[in-house]
Amino acid sequence: MSSDTSDSSSYFDRREPDELIRALVEKWQGTDGEKTLGLHFIDRESNKVFIKAMPPDAPSNSTAVSCGNHVYVIGGICENDANPSGKDDVNDVFQLDLKDLEHGWRKTTSMLFPRSFPHVLAAEGKIYVFECMDSESFGEVYDITIDISVLCVPVLDSSRSRILVHCYASGTLYAYYYDRKSWVCLEKKFCSWFDSAAIVDDVLYTYIYNCSLEAYNLLDKKHLPIKWSSEFPVVEPPGSTLYRLGNGKLILGWVNNLHRGFECIRFNIWCNEQGGIHAAVEHQSAITVPYPEDISGI
């Protein structure tokens, strides 16, 4: 584990940003009574952590996303004594060039609307920002406003140049085609995913806490049964996230605040002869990536 800028810079010269899991972390209060934010990159293969400190004015409760050779930290919450809640959502955007880490973070063009805990993803050089709570605008393409409804965590379907979103209120699954800037309704009654989703070989996998994994064939537009060859070795906590590794592999990852680390279970998925999905875990215990002792929140 290293927080040295030069070490991190040489590391990023060898790896693509999308091969890493990004996590915003909060350090314990220092002698000045303030907490500091940092962006940690978790290498999924070596289980190593690379650290880059955030600027002092970076807000908490923001979201990090990579777009090309840059990482953006978007939205968040700042203190405001004039507000009855004592806090305000912000529309700040911070940018870090992974190929020029010596220059550090810079504050760039703000979003159109303030957002806390935004759902963010990037495709074709554009950043798509969605809000899961009531807001003046529920989604925007960086500098381009979209009017959409309350939704679950979006998922990128890059092979079809679209983003899949699910609306809580109507139970409808929509696709936004970012190459032609248009919406299409895929299914009017679709089971929601509350935490995360991923697409592998034209199958949409949605994770629902305590309800395991769901599979939906995007070509045939039908749900597929999933058969596990073995049970999960641990009980995953709420807020776990699906990550697609390629080659028919997924991992389910989560933060263990008790032991201060990132944990995950890796498993294989493939279509069986009966037209369903077969799944098998690769190991009998969770893989753990520890964090430094001075980290108070991830």
Side-chain angles (χ1 to χ4, degrees):
M1 183 158 16
S2 172
S3 59
D4 182 75
T5 299
S6 59
D7 290 346
S8 301
S9 182
S10 61
Y11 175 82
F12 287 121
D13 287 339
R14 302 190 302 270
R15 301 296 298 276
E16 292 298 323
D18 287 340
E19 296 179 29
L20 307 166
I21 296 172
R22 296 163 299 281
L24 282 170
V25 300
E26 192 172 52
K27 287 192 175 184
W28 289 111
Q29 292 180 351
T31 56
D32 56 359
E34 297 293 333
K35 288 186 178 181
T36 58
L37 293 174
L39 183 64
H40 287 204
F41 299 84
I42 304 175
D43 189 325
R44 299 181 302 197
E45 298 299 326
S46 66
N47 293 335
K48 292 183 179 179
V49 176
F50 296 83
I51 308 169
K52 184 63 181 176
M54 289 293 298
D57 55 342
S60 60
N61 302 319
S62 49
T63 302
V65 64
S66 64
C67 186
N69 292 323
H70 295 82
V71 171
Y72 295 83
V73 171
I74 297 175
I77 293 177
C78 67
E79 295 184 0
N80 182 4
D81 295 336
N83 191 315
S85 67
K87 298 179 179 180
D88 273 336
D89 293 349
V90 299
N91 61 348
D92 294 341
V93 179
F94 290 88
Q95 181 194 71
L96 175 67
D97 187 345
L98 297 179
K99 301 300 183 181
D100 190 16
L101 292 181
E102 288 77 9
H103 283 81
W105 294 90
R106 71 178 186 91
K107 198 171 183 178
T108 185
T109 305
S110 299
M111 294 186 300
L112 295 176
F113 299 92
R115 307 174 191 277
S116 60
F117 303 103
H119 299 310
V120 182
L121 54 80
E124 301 296 327
K126 293 183 180 180
I127 299 175
Y128 296 81
V129 185
F130 298 95
E131 178 64 88
C132 63
M133 305 175 187
D134 291 338
S135 174
E136 186 177 353
S137 171
F138 290 105
E140 64 183 90
V141 183
Y142 201 47
D143 280 346
I144 302 174
T145 303
I146 309 172
D147 184 18
I148 58 178
S149 184
V150 181
L151 44 82
C152 299
V153 178
V155 60
L156 177 64
D157 187 3
S158 58
S159 64
R160 297 175 179 83
S161 300
R162 66 185 184 180
I163 298 169
L164 303 184
V165 295
H166 179 273
C167 293
Y168 284 129
S170 62
T172 305
L173 178 65
Y174 289 100
Y176 175 70
Y177 290 85
Y178 46 79
D179 55 346
R180 58 178 186 262
K181 300 180 176 63
S182 63
W183 288 92
V184 174
C185 175
L186 297 182
E187 186 167 327
K188 292 185 176 181
K189 294 298 179 182
F190 188 86
C191 66
S192 61
W193 61 90
F194 294 99
D195 293 292
S196 64
I199 297 174
V200 179
D201 297 331
D202 297 317
V203 176
L204 171 65
Y205 294 91
T206 60
Y207 167 73
I208 303 176
Y209 172 66
N210 216 20
C211 298
S212 192
L213 204 64
E214 300 284 340
Y216 178 80
N217 190 307
L218 293 169
L219 297 179
D220 299 334
K221 295 185 177 182
K222 66 178 183 180
H223 294 273
L224 304 176
I226 297 180
K227 181 179 180 180
W228 289 89
S229 60
S230 59
E231 295 183 357
F232 259 48
V234 297
V235 178
E236 73 282 2
S240 300
T241 302
L242 278 177
Y243 298 93
R244 183 184 65 180
L245 298 182
N247 298 322
K249 295 177 184 264
L250 289 171
I251 65 173
L252 184 66
W254 61 89
V255 172
N256 187 324
N257 287 308
L258 179 62
H259 296 98
R260 304 192 184 285
F262 176 82
E263 297 182 346
C264 64
I265 294 293
R266 185 166 54 234
F267 53 95
N268 295 291
I269 49 174
W270 65 92
C271 294
N272 57 36
E273 297 179 353
Q274 290 73 37
I277 301 296
H278 195 87
V281 295
E282 288 190 353
H283 39 88
Q284 297 303 312
S285 60
I287 298 172
T288 301
V289 182
Y291 271 88
E293 293 183 357
D294 60 351
I295 299 300
S296 61
I298 308 173

